[in-house]
Amino acid sequence: MFKSCWIIAAVVAVHLIGTVKCQLDPEIVDEIIPEVTSQGGQAKLNCTVVNKQDGHTVIWTFLDSKSGGEIITNDENIFVENKVCKEGSKKYELAKREFNKRITYMLVINCLEVVDYGYYKCYIQIRGTGSASWPSKIGHLIVQVPPTITSKNVAVLQLDVGHSHNLECSATGVPAPNITWVRSDGGLLPGFDGAQLRNTVLPLKNVTKEDRGLYKCIADNQVRPPDVYLVSLSVFFKPETLAVQDTVGQAQNRQFDAKLECRVSGYPEPEVVWYKEPTRSEGNTQLMQLNDNEKYEITKLIATTTLRFQEAWYVLRIKNVEANDYTKYYCVARNRIGEDRQTIIELFETMECQGANCPSFEAQGASAISVSLLATVAMVTLAKLML
Ligand SMILES: *[C@@H]1O[C@H](CO)[C@@H](O)[C@H](O)[C@H]1NC(C)=O
Ligand SMILES: *[C@@H]1O[C@H](CO)[C@@H](O)[C@H](O)[C@H]1NC(C)=O
Ligand SMILES: *[C@@H]1O[C@H](CO)[C@@H](O)[C@H](O)[C@H]1NC(C)=O
C-alpha cells in the first residue's frame, strides 16, 4: 500500500512538480491482544488505527455464532443497547486515545458473563468501497468461570456390606474443570491403588466397613475458588470394641479413681454397656451392669482426633477404688446387627497412686512434711549452738 502510494506520488510529482498530497490507506496496526478475565470482571480490547480520514469509521463487532457480527460501537458511539450492569458502569464503554497519529479505540466490556466469551472484530469501514477491502483485526476474549458442582444431590449414603453404589460428580466452569475424587482422610480409594481418582464417577463396589468415611469430590479449573462436594458413606456393621489398655492399676482406700477406656465402632451407632464381674466377697455369679451413679461415671468422648469415622471412645470411671473393685470389667456394644462382648479390662491393685490425677506430694505427704519440719528445727538448733 505504502509503496504503491509513493510510486504514484513520485510519478505524479514528476509531472506536476510536487503539489500533490499523498493519501495513505487507513490501517489497523498491532495485533489485538487476547484478554483472559474472570466472570464479573472487565475486559479491554484495543484497536489502534493510523491514517484515519473523513469517510472512515472504526467499528467494533461481536462475532456471535448466531448474529455473525453484532455491531457494538462505531467510532466513539455505542451502537447497541447499553444497560447499566453495575453501580456506575454500563455494559460497554469506548475510550479513544490519540498518540503520534495513532488512534486507539479501546472497547471496555464490564460485568463479564459467559455469553461475552468469543471473538471481537474491529474494522475500518471506508465509505464508497466494498467491505472486502476494509482492514480488520480480530481479538479473543476468554471469560473464565470458577467451577460449580452441579450434582450435589447425595450428601449422606448408607450401604449394607457387599452392596455397590456409584458416586457421581459433575461440574460446570470455563475452562472445563478437572474432577478428582479423594477420601477426606487421605486414605486409599476402595478398589483402586491410589489415593485419588480423576473421574466424574467413583464406583464403590462390594463395600466393606473399611470403606466407610468421608469422600470428597474436587472440581478445579485453576480459576479460584475450586468447588468441593462431600459425601459421607456409612456402612452398616456389627459393633467392635477395643480396650485402650487391657489392665489398669490403682491403689485402694485412698480416694483414688480408676479410668477404664474402650473404643467402640459400629453402625447404626451401638449402645454401650459396662459390666463388672463380681468379686468373691460379692458372691454373685452374674455379671453386674454398671450405671452412672455415685460409684461409677460413664462418659462417651466425642471429637477426639484419633477416632475414626463412626467410632466412639467410652470411659468408665470407678470412683474411690476399694478392695471390691479389683476384678474384670466388660465393655459391651450392641446394635441391631449384632453384639461384641469380647473386651475385658482388668483392674488390679497397686501400692502407689496411678494415673494423671495423683496428688503431687502423694501418699507419704504427711510424713514428708514432718520430716522437713524436724530438719528445720535441727538446723535452727544447730545455728543457735554455733553462736
Ligand atoms: C490499550 O490501549 C491503552 C491506551 O493506549 C493502553 O493504556 C493499554 O495498555 C492498551 N491495552 C492493551 C491490552 O493493549
Ligand atoms: C465382596 O467382598 C468380600 C470380602 O472382601 C468377598 O469375600 C466377596 O467375594 C466379594 N464379592 C464380590 C461379588 O465381589
Ligand atoms: C487438568 O489437569 C491436567 C493435568 O494435571 C492439567 O494439565 C490441566 O491444566 C488441568 N485442567 C484445568 C482446566 O485445570
Side-chain angles (χ1 to χ4, degrees):
M1 289 287 187
F2 284 99
K3 261 186 201 144
S4 61
C5 180
W6 283 115
I7 290 164
I8 292 165
V11 170
V12 170
V14 167
H15 290 279
L16 297 175
I17 316 162
T19 55
V20 163
K21 191 178 152 214
C22 179
Q23 284 230 335
L24 297 175
D25 288 334
E27 263 197 282
I28 299 176
V29 292
D30 304 342
E31 294 305 312
I32 302 170
I33 299 167
E35 179 85 314
V36 181
T37 315
S38 293
Q39 193 173 25
Q42 184 188 61
K44 291 174 179 171
L45 295 169
N46 279 352
C47 181
T48 302
V49 303
V50 292
N51 307 327
K52 186 174 179 285
Q53 312 283 340
D54 287 347
H56 298 166
T57 311
V58 174
I59 294 178
W60 269 111
T61 60
F62 180 42
L63 297 181
D64 184 345
S65 54
K66 280 170 277 170
S67 66
E70 184 191 15
I71 294 178
I72 304 170
T73 60
N74 60 353
D75 283 348
E76 285 147 84
N77 311 308
I78 309 288
F79 187 83
V80 285
E81 186 189 7
N82 198 17
K83 287 185 190 146
V84 172
C85 65
K86 109 181 142 194
E87 216 178 304
S89 60
K90 291 190 169 182
K91 181 72 190 172
Y92 300 104
E93 295 164 32
L94 192 108
K96 183 182 163 190
R97 289 202 188 98
E98 290 192 53
F99 182 71
N100 272 351
K101 296 187 180 154
R102 293 155 59 99
I103 311 172
T104 298
Y105 290 81
M106 182 165 73
L107 174 65
V108 182
I109 309 167
N110 291 309
C111 317
L112 288 173
E113 295 172 73
V114 180
V115 293
D116 298 321
Y117 187 108
Y119 294 92
Y120 291 76
K121 183 163 103 173
C122 172
Y123 61 88
I124 306 172
Q125 187 181 49
I126 304 169
R127 199 192 298 146
T129 67
S131 61
S133 65
W134 298 346
S136 70
K137 286 244 158 85
I138 287 176
H140 193 190
L141 171 60
I142 297 158
V143 180
Q144 294 189 322
V145 184
T148 303
I149 294 174
T150 52
S151 55
K152 292 186 181 175
N153 41 2
V154 191
V156 177
L157 190 64
Q158 302 182 323
L159 294 177
D160 285 317
V161 168
H163 282 211
S164 300
H165 187 90
N166 284 343
L167 292 181
E168 287 179 30
C169 181
S170 43
T172 58
V174 183
N178 283 329
I179 308 275
T180 309
W181 279 102
V182 294
R183 289 183 79 137
S184 250
D185 64 4
L188 293 183
L189 292 172
F192 296 92
D193 255 348
Q196 58 175 21
L197 179 70
R198 176 75 69 80
N199 198 21
T200 53
V201 176
L202 173 66
L204 298 172
K205 288 187 198 134
N206 187 17
V207 298
T208 69
K209 66 182 168 58
E210 306 306 331
D211 300 340
R212 71 189 196 273
L214 277 179
Y215 290 83
K216 188 156 76 172
C217 165
I218 304 154
D220 188 9
N221 65 357
Q222 316 283 326
V223 185
R224 301 296 104 184
D227 199 8
V228 170
Y229 163 42
L230 278 177
V231 184
S232 114
L233 169 66
S234 299
V235 177
F236 294 107
F237 70 105
K238 184 169 111 49
E240 286 168 16
T241 58
L242 184 71
V244 176
Q245 282 179 303
D246 290 336
T247 56
V248 173
Q250 190 53 288
Q252 63 164 301
N253 294 331
R254 301 216 303 257
Q255 304 286 326
F256 301 146
D257 295 351
K259 204 167 118 189
L260 277 47
E261 294 164 285
C262 181
R263 285 171 80 143
V264 179
S265 57
Y267 189 77
E269 193 184 332
E271 180 201 358
V272 174
V273 180
W274 289 92
Y275 292 92
K276 174 190 181 186
E277 201 171 83
T279 57
R280 205 169 294 150
S281 68
E282 282 172 318
N284 200 336
T285 51
Q286 300 250 313
L287 288 182
M288 298 151 70
Q289 184 177 335
L290 306 179
N291 298 308
D292 204 285
N293 55 28
E294 60 284 345
K295 179 65 187 170
Y296 303 106
E297 183 188 271
I298 297 170
T299 46
K300 176 190 169 190
L301 299 185
I302 43 165
T304 308
T305 47
T306 54
L307 289 179
R308 281 202 53 186
F309 190 73
Q310 280 159 359
E311 188 175 49
W313 187 299
Y314 284 83
V315 179
L316 170 68
R317 182 183 294 280
I318 303 165
K319 297 180 225 174
N320 185 19
V321 169
E322 296 166 312
N324 263 340
D325 296 325
Y326 297 121
T327 181
K328 288 174 177 156
Y329 294 83
Y330 290 70
C331 163
V332 175
R334 58 176 82 95
N335 65 15
R336 63 170 170 75
I337 299 163
E339 181 181 83
D340 183 358
R341 47 169 64 235
Q342 301 298 313
T343 295
I344 301 167
I345 304 173
E346 185 161 5
L347 179 63
F348 64 93
E349 184 176 1
T350 57
M351 294 310 293
E352 307 302 336
C353 177
Q354 306 292 313
N357 296 325
C358 289
S360 52
F361 54 92
E362 234 248 273
Q364 321 95 322
S367 51
I369 289 170
S370 51
V371 166
S372 72
L373 266 176
L374 272 176
T376 314
V377 171
M379 293 281 282
V380 171
T381 316
L382 199 65
K384 278 184 180 163
L385 282 176
M386 288 173 76
L387 278 171

